[in-house]
Amino acid sequence: MPPKKRPRPNATTMKMVGKQVAAARIAKNLTQKQLADLIKVDEESIGSIEQGRRALMPHVAELLDLHLALPGTLTVAANEMPAVDVIPPWAEEYMELEKRAIALSWYDNQVIPGLLQPECYARAVFACRVPAYDQEKIDALTADRLDRQKILRRATAPTLSFVIWEPVVRHRIGGRRVHEELLRYLLACAELPDVSIQVMPLDQPVHAGLNGPFTLLETPDHQHFGYTESQRGSHLIADLDEVSILARKYAMLRTQALNTEQTRGLLDRLLGEL
C-alpha cells in the first residue's frame, strides 16, 4: 500500500488562489483548455492550479493577469504566497465546524484550551514552540486564536464546557504576570452564562482522560464530531462509535472533576498565592 501523501504546508492558500483563477476564467467565458492555449501550458496544469494541487508560479501568474485582464492580482498572490498556512490544512475543517457549533466540550491536560486563552498566554504558548516561530508568525497565530474566541460572546452563544487538568492551571507559562492574567481571565470566562469550567484535581485517584486532550462538537443540524491533536497532527472524528467513546469519557471526566463552584474557589486561591 503506497504511503499517504502529506498535504503541502500552504495548501489552504493554494486552494484560495486556485479559486481566484477559476473565477476570473469563468468571468471571461473561457474553458480551461482555452485558457491553457492562451498562456501556452497544458490543460491539466490549469485544472491543477484551480484545484489548489499545483502552486501558481509568478511567470504563469503574469500571463494569466494579462489574458484575464486582471490588474496584477494573481502576480501579487503568486509572489506573496506564504510557505506555511497560518491555520494548518489538517485543522481547517474543525475550525469551520467550531465557528457554527451549538455545543462544545473540551478536555485538555497540556495547555489552557485555546478558547480560554488571554492574549499574553497565547503568545507565551506559541513562543514555547520548538523549532521557534518568528515574531511575525507568533503575531499571526495569536490574532487568529483571539478571533476564534468571538464564539464565547456570540449573540446565540453555544453551550461550552471545559475540563482542565490542575497542573495546566498551575503551570506558569510566560511567568508570574502572564499566570496572574490567565487566572483572572479564567474567572471572568467562568461568569459567562453559557460557559462551564471545571478543574480535574491532582488528588483525584481516578482519571478518565489519561489518553490525552480531545474536543466534542455539535453542529446546528445536530451532527456530532470529535477532534484530537497530537505533536505532529490531528484527527477530526465523525464515526459515531468513536464519538460515543469520547462522549462517555467526557461525561466521566465531569463527574471526577471539581464542580464549577469548587473550580472558582481553586482559581481564587491560586490568584491569592501570587
Side-chain angles (χ1 to χ4, degrees):
M1 183 175 179
K4 187 176 180 180
K5 197 171 182 179
R6 296 182 64 181
R8 291 179 61 116
N10 61 350
T12 305
T13 307
M14 288 170 56
K15 287 179 182 177
M16 180 188 71
V17 172
K19 288 180 179 179
Q20 291 176 329
V21 173
R25 172 181 61 77
I26 291 168
K28 284 291 183 180
N29 293 315
L30 294 171
T31 65
Q32 289 183 346
K33 185 177 187 312
Q34 289 170 331
L35 181 58
D37 290 342
L38 284 172
I39 65 171
K40 310 302 183 192
V41 299
D42 56 85
E43 182 180 355
E44 183 184 356
S45 294
I46 296 297
S48 294
I49 290 170
E50 290 187 357
Q51 293 169 32
R53 292 186 287 108
R54 177 176 297 184
L56 177 60
M57 303 305 292
H59 71 283
V60 175
E62 290 177 7
L63 291 171
L64 289 171
D65 279 334
L66 175 65
H67 290 284
L68 296 173
L70 296 173
T73 304
L74 297 176
T75 301
V76 171
N79 282 298
E80 298 298 325
M81 186 175 293
V84 178
D85 287 327
V86 171
I87 300 176
W90 42 259
E92 187 179 11
E93 189 174 1
Y94 168 77
M95 298 297 182
E96 287 302 313
L97 290 169
E98 184 184 84
K99 287 178 185 176
R100 54 190 182 88
I102 63 169
L104 189 147
S105 301
W106 189 323
Y107 167 67
D108 216 313
N109 63 359
Q110 302 294 326
V111 294
I112 297 297
L115 295 181
L116 298 177
Q117 294 181 7
E119 181 177 352
C120 62
Y121 182 89
R123 287 185 180 279
V125 168
F126 291 128
C128 289
R129 198 253 196 181
V130 177
Y133 287 132
D134 60 33
Q135 191 57 52
E136 184 178 355
K137 185 65 181 290
I138 291 175
D139 290 345
L141 289 167
T142 302
D144 179 71
R145 178 150 295 177
L146 296 178
D147 186 65
R148 285 173 58 199
Q149 294 179 9
K150 291 176 181 175
I151 192 175
L152 294 172
R153 294 167 178 83
R154 210 169 63 190
T156 53
T159 301
L160 299 170
S161 172
F162 301 91
V163 176
I164 309 165
W165 199 30
E166 185 175 342
V168 176
V169 298
R170 288 185 176 274
H171 191 185
R172 297 189 179 187
I173 290 178
R176 181 185 180 281
R177 184 191 64 80
V178 172
H179 191 227
E180 180 179 356
E181 186 164 339
L182 169 66
L183 294 173
R184 293 188 188 280
Y185 191 73
L186 289 175
L187 284 165
C189 289
E191 296 300 320
L192 295 172
D194 293 294
V195 175
S196 166
I197 300 175
Q198 296 176 253
V199 168
M200 170 68 78
L202 277 168
D203 61 2
Q204 170 59 263
V206 291
H207 194 314
L210 294 178
N211 287 338
F214 62 90
T215 304
L216 292 163
L217 183 149
E218 182 180 356
T219 68
D221 55 355
H222 307 297
Q223 289 183 295
H224 294 262
F225 294 90
Y227 180 72
T228 61
E229 287 189 355
S230 63
Q231 286 274 345
R232 300 298 297 160
S234 72
H235 184 40
L236 184 67
I237 303 163
D239 181 85
L240 294 179
D241 289 336
E242 294 298 318
V243 173
S244 174
I245 291 171
L246 292 179
R248 282 178 276 163
K249 283 179 181 283
Y250 194 80
M252 188 61 73
L253 281 167
R254 294 200 70 180
T255 69
Q256 296 167 348
L258 300 176
N259 64 33
T260 55
E261 184 176 346
Q262 292 168 330
T263 293
R264 284 194 293 269
L266 173 63
L267 296 175
D268 276 327
R269 289 195 301 275
L270 292 175
L271 192 56
E273 292 170 5
L274 291 176

